[in-house]
Amino acid sequence: MADIFDLFKQIAKKDTAPQTPPTHIIAGLGNPGAEYAGTRHNAGYMALDHLAAKLHADVSRSKFNALCGDAMLGEYRVLLLKPLTFMNASGESVRAAADFYKIPPENILVLVDDIYQDPGRMRVRGDGSDGGQRGLRSIIAEMGTDKFPRIRFGVGKKPHPEYDLRDWVLGNLSAEDKKNMQTCFPLVEEAAKMIFAGKTDQAMGLCNGHRPDKE
């Protein structure tokens, strides 16, 4: 009987053993709250939710002013992060997580919307300016560098130059636009593996020519 109790103790000890900390972050940007759920600015949230489902990850732990969860992406232990700071202060959450786990910028992949591409198009970049996207601008300011990779998902251009940009990005995607944008999401897992392996050019080849299925 003592042997059985010893076995139970060993199992319990294994279950409570600390996990290896994440070495990479994938941050999906957006705005918290049900009223923003289907908006163009929440493309990053949507992409991260799709990835989390594929990786069987629970992104519900509250930390770093974000919802987060751990997952294995191939050989990489990643922190999946959804900042709750609202878009314009996304960098505060990303920096807090990066500082806590001592994760360098090149190991942080950001998923974000892009008003310069049509829904169903996507673009991988290894670094670069914010391109007018305020979530990226916040991360660059907080991290002190633009040397982090990102995948941008097209949400469509403003219908005319005078249209208020805030109203546009906080507007809801049409059913067709949302469907087209979602065709990009299955590519994120493989693209992220390539990027973290230092194969950003391959990730660009995989993603940058993607077009939605018109059939």
Side-chain angles (χ1 to χ4, degrees), residues 25-64:
I25 294 172
I26 300 179
L29 304 193
N31 290 310
E35 66 270 35
Y36 299 108
T39 63
R40 296 176 180 86
H41 236 7
N42 275 32
Y45 269 15
M46 296 179 211
L48 192 84
D49 286 341
H50 185 278
L51 178 62
K54 286 190 70 177
L55 299 179
H56 306 289
D58 178 16
V59 184
S60 63
R61 187 169 80 249
S62 181
K63 196 170 184 178
F64 311 118

Side-chain angles (χ1 to χ4, degrees), residues 6-208:
D6 287 343
L7 180 61
F8 285 156
K9 286 179 182 178
Q10 291 175 14
I11 293 171
K13 188 175 181 182
K14 282 184 179 180
D15 289 343
T16 57
Q19 293 183 332
T20 305
T23 57
H24 295 71
I25 294 172
I26 300 179
L29 304 193
N31 290 310
E35 66 270 35
Y36 299 108
T39 63
R40 296 176 180 86
H41 236 7
N42 275 32
Y45 269 15
M46 296 179 211
L48 192 84
D49 286 341
H50 185 278
L51 178 62
K54 286 190 70 177
L55 299 179
H56 306 289
D58 178 16
V59 184
S60 63
R61 187 169 80 249
S62 181
K63 196 170 184 178
F64 311 118
N65 204 355
L67 295 177
C68 56
D70 297 320
M72 289 303 299
L73 181 78
E75 64 185 278
Y76 306 103
R77 182 171 289 282
V78 299
L79 181 73
L80 303 180
L81 190 77
K82 293 172 67 175
L84 299 177
T85 54
F86 288 90
M87 180 66 75
N88 293 1
S90 298
E92 297 174 10
S93 176
V94 173
R95 180 179 56 79
D99 287 351
F100 185 84
Y101 291 114
K102 297 180 172 56
I103 296 175
E106 62 268 22
N107 286 2
I108 301 172
L109 173 62
V110 179
L111 311 179
V112 68
D113 62 284
D114 186 349
I115 63 167
Y116 299 108
Q117 296 188 92
D118 293 331
R121 302 299 303 272
M122 59 194 300
R123 179 182 301 148
V124 171
R125 292 193 66 187
D127 55 28
S129 70
D130 58 62
Q133 215 287 338
R134 292 190 176 184
L136 290 176
R137 183 178 302 168
S138 174
I139 295 173
I140 291 169
E142 291 287 338
M143 299 292 293
T145 181
D146 64 4
K147 304 299 183 185
F148 58 87
R150 69 288 307 261
I151 302 177
R152 301 188 63 160
F153 302 95
V155 295
K157 302 177 180 67
K158 295 190 299 181
H160 52 80
E162 292 77 24
Y163 199 103
D164 184 79
L165 179 59
R166 184 178 185 277
D167 289 344
W168 180 247
V169 296
L170 295 183
N172 288 320
L173 288 154
S174 69
E176 181 180 3
D177 284 350
K178 185 176 180 180
K179 180 180 177 182
N180 286 339
M181 184 180 69
Q182 288 173 332
T183 66
C184 298
F185 296 165
L187 301 179
V188 173
E189 180 180 5
E190 190 61 28
K193 291 178 185 176
M194 292 174 178
I195 291 167
F196 290 154
K199 301 175 181 177
T200 302
D201 287 348
Q202 289 187 26
M204 291 178 179
L206 175 69
C207 298
N208 290 9

